[in-house]
Amino acid sequence: MANSVTITIDGKQISAAEGDKLLWVALENGIYIPHLCGIKEKEKPDASCRLCFVEVEGMANPVTSCTLPVTDGMVVKTRTERVDRLIATGFELLLTNHRLGCAKCAKNGSCQLQKIAKERGLKLRLTRLRSVLKEMQTDDSLGSVAFDPSRCVLCGQCVWADRKENKGNIGFIRRGISRKVSTFGEVPLAESGCTRCGKCVEVCPVGALVKNS
Amino acid sequence: MSVLGTDTQKTYQELKDQAVQAVEGLNTKSYVLVGTATCGRAAGALNVLETFRSEIGKHNVDAEIIEVGCMGHCYAEPMVIVYKPGFPKICYGSVDEGIATRLVTDFLVNDDPCFDFAMAALEPNDFFPTFEDFPRGVYEQKVVLSDCGLIAPDDIEQYIARDGYGGLAKALSKEPERVITEVKDSNLRGRGGAGFPTGVKWEICRNAEGDTKYVICNADEGDPGAFIDRALLESNPHQLIEGLAIAAYAIGASQGYIYVRAEYPLAIERLKTAIGQAREKGIIGNSVMGSNFSFDIKIFQGSGAFVCGEETALIASIEGNAGIPNHRPPFPAVSGLHGKPTIINNVKTLSYITHIIRNGAEWFKSIGTPGTPGTAVFALAGKVVGTGLVEVPMGTTIRTLIYDVADGIKNEKNFKAVQIGGPSGGCLPESSLDLPIDFDSLQQAGAMMGSGGLVVLDEEDCMVEIARFFLEFTQNESCGKCTFCRLGTKQMLDILTDITKGKGKLEDIDLLLELAVDIKAGSLCALGKTAPNPVLTTIRFFRDEYEAHITEGRCPALMCKELITYVIDEKKCSKLCDACIGSCPVEAVYTRSDMLKDIYLDKCVKCDNCLVTCLPLYQAVIKVSPPIEAGGNQNG
Amino acid sequence: MELMEGELEKITAEVEQVIKDQGTERERLIPILQGVQEKLGYLPKEAMKKVAEAVEVSEVEIYEIATFYNQFRLNPPGKHQIKVCMGTACHMTGGNIIMESFERRLDIKEGETTPDREFSLERVACVGCCALAPVVVVDENVEAKVRPTRVDGILLGFDMEKKAAEKEMQKAASEQKTQEEEG
């Protein structure tokens, strides 16, 4: 059993198990920090969405809270000028490659991007940056599930869920701006060995993997 | 331990005696050293090698032909060194088949050393100057390059005869901790980029918990513009193997890896041969030189991903995954390959190790600056006369490097900037020429030592275009995992591309600066964190060029294709010549009724052929910016 | 891409051999894929499936790796591979102009193969011959200081080689024919 430590987040004293990652400690104590890629049980966090930045006393620069083990006496601020600026830019960058139009999205109302926008007062449209979105076809091959890669934020939740549940049918292919979630040989999901377990749909934080109504 | 040390020394002495004997045997007759590293080959070294073989055979000369690596004078490739008893060793540059034939018939058969073709002698003599008599030789101080191009990389005896593996033998007679202390005392800083103290890294790894530890040599030299590691691997692989073995002994590892990029096939081949020879001699394997230290090396071939130069991505790649970086900490020195403590050092860093162990930390510190002791190895490319590899003490100024060591700018053009450190580095202007080069001074100036690529740019190089080029490179090489690098560099690239096409807006410059700050702070790994550097430095020092593109639609360097037009100056064009017409791939160049030539602007694809082919006597094809609209200059 | 008759057998045999040489540890995965590509020139889907099975990883993981690294090809390359260096020094001395010249002459884009499978055109990040820029790697040979006009020369060389080979073949065929007639 790990030692219990006391940390301060935004002035609130919280006790937590030493070594637990700050993101989860904060969330479990009702303090919201934006996040998309975080998976609590993952030993090595991806730290890829770059939205969970916080400032910690004694550290020169903002840090990702999903990778930061808590230590006794740690003093954390979730809202500072630098943190807000980083998160705002990271968020808008994600939107440059995300098909907007919430009204037509099945995830409208339960989308994590909407949540982040609401919590942090961010706009769900591009203000400074330009769209780099490419036209991509929705994969409706499964019938019951629709996969729209143009709404995907590459958080990796579905890939993790799929590998935990099945032998692994989806993954991150290519790299850089072309990186995307797809299957072996980029065949439609129905031909990928998909078991229709539905786990990927459960974990998708945005409208990329949704149940077809 | 001390007893083992004596054994090691004895084993080494035996190896060395054998080697010295073998090498002395070489000096009793003539030999020809041909530099056949990749750059030599590109310039035709293999044909030269073949000519020597056939001519020596034809004339029945008793001479050995030995393939060696690179002496660093790339501008003079192919290079050969000819030795004939009774003469000093002489080096010849820009050798072709004709010169090779003459060297055999005139020099080896008769006694005329063909001074007309000679560059320098290798040792002082009464006939011909040595390399030390030229400015390059005066300013250079070779440590890791000292044997490159002078010894056969595939002959371990030649390395041992020059005290090679003496550092390993000496290290094995000490406690590992004392080896680390020596390296720490030397204040050697990792030459891979950031300049982290090597000894400290080793100590962290030595002290990390675990029985299994690894050493990895990072030879994934991906910086487009650096070729130092390639030259070291192709010219003196044993120096690296020795450094790796010492590192392994110091931290307590028995398995080493060398991660080489696949674009370096010759380096891989020479490294494989060298490892095989070291194994045969008992220098690696079970019981290294008779000690109780066991060590072996595997070569891991990269598959073409620049990001694998990043430590955690390199480890992921060896483990059999896509080379995608992970968050640090944990640092590899604590938890690296297969979760075991691992040190990853660059080729250059490891190549220094044996010299530090052989000559001591104090010797190393006597070279260079207090903050960064030792030498700096640079790959000089671009618009300088003396391109190639140079090794100078840290603290040498950029001016000395460009104007003294490399003999100035090509074709009497004006210096504009120097790009140091590749995609992570920056462009420094004329006002930075007197900057003494070391890790800290470059960082302060906004550049980075990086992997030692130094590309000199002149008035014909566009600074917006070079920033765009590097962003395109990092954008292509981004692994795509994290938001800031994947999408942030894409934003910057799109903005820069617009500017080079004359479609930029003045606000774009501010947006570039804002994005640069956030990408540096927000990215997961060093690739993203340093990607904005080329943009930041070019805006800082060459903002006027950005503005000329944006407000005037003009590329001052006449480089950005969309902003230039090729025209023929009718005052310079000759009626007698039509070289340009033949060179045009799209029939855009034509002869007017008055026999002068002109270009149909709407057909021109700006391939540069006509400009290149137009005789130097005329130089009638010129570029103008801002561009002329098609139909605006049709005077024929 | 459809496989031709006999190709599957060849793929299976080569993959099995490479796996036999390399072993099936996860750490050997990338060397196995490199070995397969060396033998076959590219990574056919069938080969990737076999490798996945042998190393016991999912097929999509193999595909992740095969699409991540520049070196891996999913389609067969041309007979001659032209790699234009796009390193800093090459770029600043006109590497992109060289690339465009090849694209124009071969009528393909970078990353593509000509329909007759004679040439494939690729960009490489840097081959480390910066002092001799711009550089093009044609098959295994490094061509230094390539000017746009040299592009035609390089391709013409192959063209002549091909014609000479065809002539040889014709000659051999007609000789054989004469022999047969005489015999």
Side-chain angles (χ1 to χ4, degrees):
Chain A
M1 204 40 211
N3 289 333
S4 177
V5 296
T6 305
I7 63 167
T8 313
I9 307 179
D10 297 338
K12 186 175 161 189
Q13 295 235 323
I14 289 166
S15 66
E18 186 170 19
D20 275 4
K21 301 294 194 299
L22 177 63
L23 173 66
W24 307 107
V25 173
L27 292 174
E28 278 152 23
N29 284 279
I31 298 167
Y32 182 73
I33 298 173
H35 62 105
L36 291 170
C37 70
I39 295 169
K40 194 181 173 186
E41 57 187 311
K42 216 169 176 175
E43 199 194 338
K44 270 191 189 170
D46 273 1
S48 65
C49 74
R50 318 303 288 171
L51 293 177
C52 67
F53 280 105
V54 295
E55 280 205 66
V56 177
E57 246 173 48
M59 293 188 186
N61 297 307
V63 284
T64 44
S65 57
C66 67
T67 55
L68 190 69
V70 295
T71 52
D72 199 32
M74 187 180 262
V75 179
V76 181
K77 286 194 181 115
T78 66
R79 301 296 300 268
T80 67
E81 204 182 309
R82 288 201 294 173
V83 162
D84 285 356
R85 174 177 167 166
L86 267 184
I87 295 177
T89 303
F91 185 76
E92 191 172 349
L93 281 172
L94 283 173
L95 295 189
T96 63
N97 201 24
H98 178 81
R99 190 152 65 86
L100 291 161
C102 298
K104 283 185 192 158
C105 177
K107 214 51 176 236
N108 193 8
S110 59
C111 168
Q112 288 300 309
L113 288 174
Q114 288 178 325
K115 182 173 166 82
I116 296 168
K118 193 168 154 247
E119 291 278 345
R120 293 295 164 108
L122 299 168
K123 295 203 167 60
L124 272 164
R125 60 175 171 80
L126 298 176
T127 56
R128 293 181 298 160
L129 309 179
R130 54 180 85 186
S131 173
V132 297
L133 189 63
K134 285 210 181 85
E135 210 42 61
M136 282 188 281
Q137 286 247 301
T138 298
D139 178 355
D140 277 318
S141 64
L142 289 171
S144 56
V145 169
F147 172 49
D148 180 356
S150 63
R151 293 207 201 266
C152 176
V153 290
L154 302 188
C155 68
Q157 299 279 356
C158 56
V159 176
W160 174 260
D162 171 54
R163 291 197 186 166
K164 222 174 95 184
E165 194 70 21
N166 310 300
K167 68 176 177 54
N169 297 305
I170 51 175
F172 283 117
I173 68 157
R174 304 189 195 285
R175 71 172 191 219
I177 196 78
S178 308
R179 179 172 159 99
K180 61 176 182 179
V181 172
S182 190
T183 58
F184 177 77
E186 291 161 74
V187 297
L189 285 168
E191 296 163 33
S192 70
C194 171
T195 59
R196 296 168 196 255
C197 69
K199 296 284 180 199
C200 60
V201 178
E202 276 171 34
V203 295
C204 181
V206 296
L209 275 159
V210 292
K211 280 204 179 90
N212 258 339
S213 46
Chain B
M1 210 64 208
S2 58
V3 182
L4 275 170
T6 345
D7 278 357
T8 313
Q9 291 292 359
K10 217 178 110 199
T11 316
Y12 177 66
Q13 202 49 53
E14 283 164 17
L15 282 171
K16 187 163 174 197
D17 290 346
Q18 272 174 26
V20 169
Q21 223 177 355
V23 171
E24 272 173 2
L26 266 181
N27 284 331
T28 56
K29 61 176 185 179
S30 301
Y31 59 75
V32 179
L33 308 179
V34 183
T36 57
T38 305
C39 39
R41 291 181 179 199
L46 292 180
N47 290 338
V48 170
L49 184 71
E50 211 30 68
T51 308
F52 273 112
R53 283 211 179 107
S54 66
E55 288 297 316
I56 283 174
K58 206 156 87 190
H59 295 281
N60 252 329
V61 182
D62 183 24
E64 192 105 11
I65 301 170
I66 300 166
E67 285 186 55
V68 294
C70 167
M71 282 182 68
H73 298 256
C74 299
Y75 63 93
E77 293 287 1
M79 285 173 74
V80 303
I81 292 167
V82 181
Y83 170 70
K84 183 171 180 174
F87 289 87
K89 288 177 197 151
I90 301 171
C91 176
Y92 303 86
S94 308
V95 178
D96 57 19
E97 286 98 323
I99 297 177
T101 311
R102 289 273 306 273
L103 286 172
V104 176
T105 53
D106 294 7
F107 188 13
L108 292 179
V109 175
N110 297 304
D111 277 340
D112 170 14
C114 305
F115 284 135
D116 286 357
F117 310 130
M119 281 176 77
L122 295 189
E123 55 230 31
N125 63 85
D126 297 335
F127 315 102
F128 208 76
T130 63
F131 278 114
E132 283 70 28
D133 297 324
F134 294 99
R136 191 178 183 123
V138 172
Y139 290 101
E140 274 204 276
Q141 182 171 3
K142 291 191 175 187
V143 177
V144 292
L145 293 181
S146 56
D147 288 341
C148 293
L150 302 178
I151 60 171
D154 58 359
D155 183 359
I156 192 171
E157 309 269 26
Q158 292 190 23
Y159 180 68
I160 298 175
R162 289 176 168 242
D163 297 327
Y165 291 110
L168 177 59
K170 197 168 165 190
L172 289 173
S173 63
K174 295 180 180 190
E175 301 287 337
E177 287 81 1
R178 285 195 42 217
V179 176
I180 292 180
T181 310
E182 191 80 55
V183 175
K184 257 176 79 179
D185 287 348
S186 77
N187 199 11
L188 169 67
R189 297 174 68 176
R191 298 300 201 254
F196 191 79
T198 307
V200 175
K201 204 183 216 179
W202 289 14
E203 192 170 49
I204 295 170
C205 189
R206 166 129 208 120
N207 293 339
E209 272 175 53
D211 294 334
T212 309
K213 288 174 187 176
Y214 297 106
V215 287
I216 300 176
C217 169
N218 184 348
D220 189 50
E221 185 175 48
D223 171 350
F227 48 93
I228 304 157
D229 296 352
R230 176 184 64 67
L232 284 170
L233 294 168
E234 290 178 353
S235 309
N236 196 358
H238 287 291
Q239 182 176 251
L240 168 67
I241 295 170
E242 184 176 2
L244 196 61
I246 295 171
Y249 175 72
I251 66 150
S254 56
Q255 182 64 56
Y257 289 81
I258 302 177
Y259 189 101
V260 197
R261 65 197 288 250
E263 288 87 342
Y264 290 173
L266 183 65
I268 293 170
E269 190 188 309
R270 290 191 171 168
L271 205 46
K272 275 185 183 158
T273 312
I275 291 172
Q277 288 172 348
R279 210 175 274 143
E280 245 169 57
K281 293 264 177 206
I283 290 170
I284 58 174
N286 291 328
S287 172
V288 169
M289 288 194 221
S291 71
N292 58 359
F293 167 58
S294 298
F295 177 63
D296 215 323
I297 300 174
K298 284 185 198 169
I299 295 176
F300 193 92
Q301 212 174 309
S303 298
F306 173 69
V307 67
C308 287
E310 199 277 343
E311 295 188 334
T312 57
L314 185 148
I315 288 171
S317 182
I318 295 184
E319 288 173 348
N321 296 301
I324 293 174
N326 279 306
H327 180 81
R328 299 186 306 177
F331 288 92
V334 177
S335 171
L337 184 62
H338 303 304
K340 310 289 183 201
T342 305
I343 55 160
I344 302 175
N345 283 138
N346 168 270
V347 177
K348 293 174 278 290
T349 314
L350 289 168
S351 295
Y352 281 107
I353 295 296
T354 176
H355 300 282
I356 291 171
I357 301 298
R358 280 187 233 168
N359 305 317
E362 287 308 315
W363 161 82
F364 191 72
K365 276 197 289 193
S366 71
I367 309 167
T369 61
T372 315
T375 57
V377 187
F378 285 107
L380 288 178
K383 308 290 175 64
V384 277
V385 177
T387 53
L389 285 187
V390 296
E391 185 169 7
V392 292
M394 287 281 181
T396 303
T397 64
I398 304 177
R399 187 186 298 280
T400 302
L401 203 56
I402 294 176
Y403 288 95
D404 298 321
V405 177
D407 219 8
I409 311 296
K410 266 184 202 167
N411 305 325
E412 287 159 32
K413 295 273 195 283
N414 288 318
F415 169 89
K416 184 187 270 180
V418 55
Q419 208 289 334
I420 303 184
S424 313
C427 291
L428 302 179
E430 193 152 14
S431 59
S432 304
L433 276 177
D434 292 309
L435 198 71
I437 303 168
D438 69 16
F439 283 104
D440 307 313
S441 67
L442 285 180
Q443 199 127 33
Q444 271 164 22
M448 218 174 119
M449 186 77 90
S451 49
L454 199 151
V455 182
V456 177
L457 307 171
D458 69 12
E459 54 194 286
E460 293 181 346
D461 293 317
C462 171
M463 303 313 289
V464 186
E465 171 55 23
I466 192 146
R468 193 205 60 79
F469 163 74
F470 280 116
L471 249 291
E472 183 183 62
F473 177 84
T474 30
Q475 168 65 37
N476 268 330
E477 295 296 335
S478 162
C479 78
K481 180 182 181 180
C482 89
T483 307
F484 283 90
C485 183
R486 180 180 72 244
L487 295 166
T489 58
K490 174 71 179 159
Q491 284 291 320
M492 290 182 81
L493 174 62
D494 285 355
I495 296 170
L496 287 165
T497 306
D498 272 2
I499 297 177
T500 58
K501 289 183 175 172
K503 294 180 193 157
K505 298 189 288 287
L506 274 178
E507 316 77 277
D508 286 345
I509 301 180
D510 296 324
L511 182 53
L512 281 174
L513 291 172
E514 278 173 35
L515 280 168
V517 171
D518 291 344
I519 293 169
K520 278 172 91 97
S523 293
L524 172 67
C525 83
L527 187 143
K529 281 182 187 299
T530 58
N533 284 351
V535 183
L536 284 172
T537 49
T538 47
I539 295 181
R540 185 162 141 206
F541 297 118
F542 302 96
R543 201 182 176 112
D544 54 329
E545 283 199 35
Y546 280 81
E547 288 169 353
H549 284 74
I550 294 170
T551 56
E552 301 168 46
R554 180 173 67 89
C555 175
L558 301 175
M559 194 177 195
C560 293
K561 253 180 122 175
E562 265 86 351
L563 300 185
I564 55 166
T565 306
Y566 284 78
V567 293
I568 293 174
D569 184 344
E570 48 180 66
K571 292 190 195 75
K572 289 183 178 170
C573 179
S574 163
K575 292 179 183 176
L576 304 172
C577 160
D578 55 7
C580 51
I581 294 185
S583 75
C584 181
V586 291
E587 294 174 357
V589 190
Y590 66 100
T591 309
R592 304 191 322 203
S593 49
D594 58 2
M595 298 307 282
L596 294 175
K597 315 299 171 299
D598 206 348
I599 300 172
Y600 290 121
L601 299 184
D602 49 349
K603 279 191 186 171
C604 174
V605 291
K606 301 175 187 178
C607 72
D608 216 37
N609 274 3
C610 54
L611 192 145
V612 174
T613 18
C614 183
L615 296 178
L617 174 68
Y618 308 127
Q619 288 183 17
V621 183
I622 51 170
K623 296 186 273 189
V624 294
S625 180
I628 300 163
E629 293 296 318
N633 190 36
Q634 305 293 301
N635 43 9
Chain C
M1 209 187 65
E2 293 294 316
L3 292 178
M4 284 187 279
E5 211 184 297
E7 263 187 298
L8 186 61
E9 288 71 21
K10 181 172 188 252
I11 290 168
T12 312
E14 295 286 12
V15 172
E16 275 170 6
Q17 187 56 48
V18 171
I19 289 169
K20 219 174 112 190
D21 296 343
Q22 295 282 354
T24 56
E25 273 174 75
R26 178 68 192 243
E27 207 182 87
R28 303 315 297 161
L29 183 49
I30 290 175
I32 290 171
L33 294 175
Q34 288 167 339
V36 171
Q37 176 156 304
E38 203 184 310
K39 297 276 188 209
L40 301 171
Y42 73 113
L43 296 177
K45 268 192 201 171
E46 293 69 20
M48 289 191 272
K49 285 185 181 177
K50 293 250 175 264
V51 174
E53 199 184 342
V55 186
E56 292 177 16
V57 297
S58 65
E59 289 170 3
V60 72
E61 276 181 83
I62 303 285
Y63 197 71
E64 285 179 344
I65 294 168
T67 55
F68 182 86
Y69 294 101
N70 283 344
Q71 296 259 313
F72 294 125
R73 266 184 239 106
L74 300 180
N75 292 305
K79 206 168 110 199
H80 300 292
Q81 284 166 42
I82 295 165
K83 296 177 188 147
V84 183
C85 181
M86 286 292 177
T88 316
C90 290
H91 179 79
M92 297 318 276
T93 46
N96 54 335
I97 292 180
I98 303 300
M99 176 61 96
E100 283 166 19
S101 300
F102 273 114
E103 286 180 338
R104 195 163 41 240
R105 282 285 278 109
L106 296 171
D107 199 19
I108 52 172
K109 293 273 161 227
E110 92 173 55
E112 294 178 352
T113 303
T114 52
D116 61 1
R117 284 212 198 163
E118 277 292 311
F119 297 100
S120 46
L121 187 59
E122 286 169 38
R123 67 152 60 201
V124 282
C126 183
V127 292
C129 293
C130 313
L132 300 163
V135 165
V136 177
V137 187
V138 181
D139 293 333
E140 300 302 313
N141 301 318
V142 183
E143 293 260 353
K145 298 185 181 168
V146 179
R147 303 301 319 177
T149 42
R150 175 77 188 121
V151 169
D152 284 357
I154 292 170
L155 296 177
L156 203 65
F158 283 121
D159 210 38
M160 280 161 64
E161 221 172 73
K162 197 182 160 192
K163 287 210 174 103
E166 276 168 8
K167 226 174 176 177
E168 275 301 301
M169 269 173 57
Q170 275 172 1
K171 207 173 133 196
S174 67
E175 267 172 20
Q176 204 181 355
K177 211 175 156 193
T178 340
Q179 270 176 8
E180 274 167 16
E181 279 168 5
E182 282 172 3

